[in-house]
């Protein structure tokens, strides 16, 4: 499969489709929020899934595949179907990114929906219904938050960087870098954390290994169209809809700070 997005394709109709579906899925999930939804555990008891996740997933799958039956499907809450690897274009979704926060009654969760073509996201939506926030982007044009253009923050040289990362990750950074960083308190949704990079609330984030396509694809495009980037430790963009959907250590932020972030991450663990 080629990893080059078709030139000149207008993905705005797909953006409209996934936006509408994400809003309905988000409102569906919101109907369970702070109402004690049933919860079970998957992945040998490591990951919770609530009835809200499954209901939102059903909304997305029904609406999206009815509109684009030739597209593949990859969701955190659906058994993987290897036929997606034969499809040029795929929906990549997380019905609720931040399920633990959702179950705990915290507002930092979102519906993540992306259209991926030839391995690259070309339309993406993040909808955080409890916060009344909707982020979106298409392969050309601005990233938007509630209809208004957003952009990453470019810190001045020597300015303190506000980074979202685990405490143990920040603690392991070289002192010369750690002393120039202020850690952002834990953000339970990775997709929403990347949205915070896109709208300039934070400067960047370090992502531990083992994130998945559905955590990243929509937010990746939104960060990119906001003027930033999500990259691996070789400063390469991510590709999606591969046989493995798991990623290594990643960094996101405005382009000028990425070399420093990558160097800091390389000092933490081999890749």
């Amino acid at each position: 499969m080629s990893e080059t997005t078709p030139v000149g394709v207008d993905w705005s109709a797909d953006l409209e489709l996934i936006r509408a579906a994400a809003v309905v899925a988000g409102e569906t999930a919101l109907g369970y929020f702070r109402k004690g939804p049933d919860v079970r555990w998957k992945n040998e008891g490591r990951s919770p899934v609530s009835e809200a996740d499954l209901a939102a997933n059903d909304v997305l799958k029904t609406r999206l595949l009815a509109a684009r039956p030739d597209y593949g499907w990859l969701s955190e809450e659906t058994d993987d179907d290897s036929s997606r690897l034969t499809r040029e274009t795929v929906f990549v979704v997380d019905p609720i990114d931040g399920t633990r926060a959702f179950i705990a009654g915290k507002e930092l969760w979102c519906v993540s929906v992306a259209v991926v073509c030839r391995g690259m996201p070309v339309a993406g939506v993040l909808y955080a219904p409890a916060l009344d926030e909707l982020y979106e982007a298409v392969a050309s044009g601005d990233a938007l938050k509630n209809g208004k253009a957003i952009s990453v923050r470019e810190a001045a040289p020597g300015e303190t960087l506000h980074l979202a990362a685990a405490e143990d990750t920040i603690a392991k950074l070289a002192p010369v870098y750690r002393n120039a960083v202020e850690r952002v308190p834990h953000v339970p949704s990775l997709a929403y954390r990347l949205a915070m990079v896109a709208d300039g609330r934070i400067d960047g984030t370090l992502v531990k290994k083992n994130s998945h396509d559905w955590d990243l694809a929509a937010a990746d495009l939104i960060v990119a169209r906001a003027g930033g980037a999500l990259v691996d430790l070789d400063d390469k963009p991510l590709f999606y809809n591969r046989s493995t959907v798991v990623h290594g250590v990643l960094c996101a932020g405005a382009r000028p700070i990425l070399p420093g972030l990558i160097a800091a991450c390389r000092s933490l663990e081999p890749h």
Side-chain angles (χ1 to χ4, degrees):
M1 182 181 299
S2 169
E3 290 168 341
T4 304
T5 306
V7 175
V9 175
D10 181 1
W11 297 99
S12 58
D14 277 19
L15 180 63
E16 292 175 11
L17 171 67
I18 64 173
R19 182 198 305 120
V23 168
V24 175
E27 297 304 322
T28 298
L30 198 61
Y32 295 86
F33 187 50
R34 295 175 176 164
K35 295 179 181 177
D38 290 337
V39 177
R40 62 176 176 82
W41 292 82
K42 59 184 181 179
N43 299 329
E44 300 179 348
R46 295 191 302 270
S47 302
V49 57
S50 75
E51 59 182 323
D53 294 81
L54 301 177
N57 187 76
D58 288 346
V59 167
L60 293 170
K61 190 171 186 181
T62 299
R63 285 177 169 260
L64 296 177
L65 292 182
R68 302 286 191 273
D70 55 327
Y71 284 16
W73 177 260
L74 175 61
S75 167
E76 181 176 14
E77 307 305 347
T78 308
D79 289 338
D80 194 10
D81 180 355
S82 61
S83 69
R84 64 180 171 80
L85 298 173
T86 67
R87 306 295 179 97
E88 180 176 78
T89 310
V90 182
F91 293 115
V92 179
V93 313
D94 191 344
I96 298 179
D97 187 79
T99 296
R100 290 177 187 269
F102 179 93
I103 294 168
K106 299 177 182 178
E107 296 177 334
L108 286 176
W109 55 275
C110 63
V111 179
S112 175
V113 186
V115 176
V116 168
C117 182
R118 299 182 185 174
M120 300 179 68
V122 292
V125 170
L126 301 176
Y127 179 46
L131 299 171
D132 193 27
E133 294 177 359
L134 189 145
Y135 299 81
E136 61 187 285
V138 72
S140 59
D142 295 328
L144 305 177
K145 176 182 180 181
N146 291 349
K148 296 182 179 179
I150 56 175
S151 62
V152 297
R153 190 179 90 91
E154 295 199 8
E159 194 174 358
T160 297
L161 296 179
H162 294 82
L163 296 184
E167 284 190 66
D168 61 339
T169 300
I170 296 292
K172 292 176 184 175
L173 296 176
V176 67
Y177 198 85
R178 185 174 68 243
N179 293 339
V181 166
E182 181 174 321
R183 179 178 175 267
V184 175
H186 176 60
V187 180
S189 163
L190 173 52
Y192 190 82
R193 194 194 323 166
L194 290 165
M196 293 173 69
V197 174
D199 71 12
R201 275 180 287 170
I202 63 177
D203 293 296
T205 186
L206 310 178
V207 182
K208 288 184 173 182
K209 63 182 179 181
N210 295 325
S211 59
H212 295 77
D213 279 14
W214 47 76
D215 304 312
L216 302 168
D220 185 348
L221 179 63
I222 291 166
V223 170
R225 300 312 305 172
L230 173 66
V231 297
D232 65 17
L233 296 192
D234 293 316
D235 197 16
K236 301 295 185 183
L238 308 187
F239 291 101
Y240 301 94
N241 192 36
R242 293 180 167 186
S243 56
T244 177
V245 298
V246 180
H247 297 267
V249 178
L250 308 172
C251 302
R255 269 288 171 195
I257 72 167
L258 284 177
L261 287 183
I262 291 169
C265 284
R266 281 178 172 165
S267 71
L268 298 179
E269 57 183 293
H271 68 285

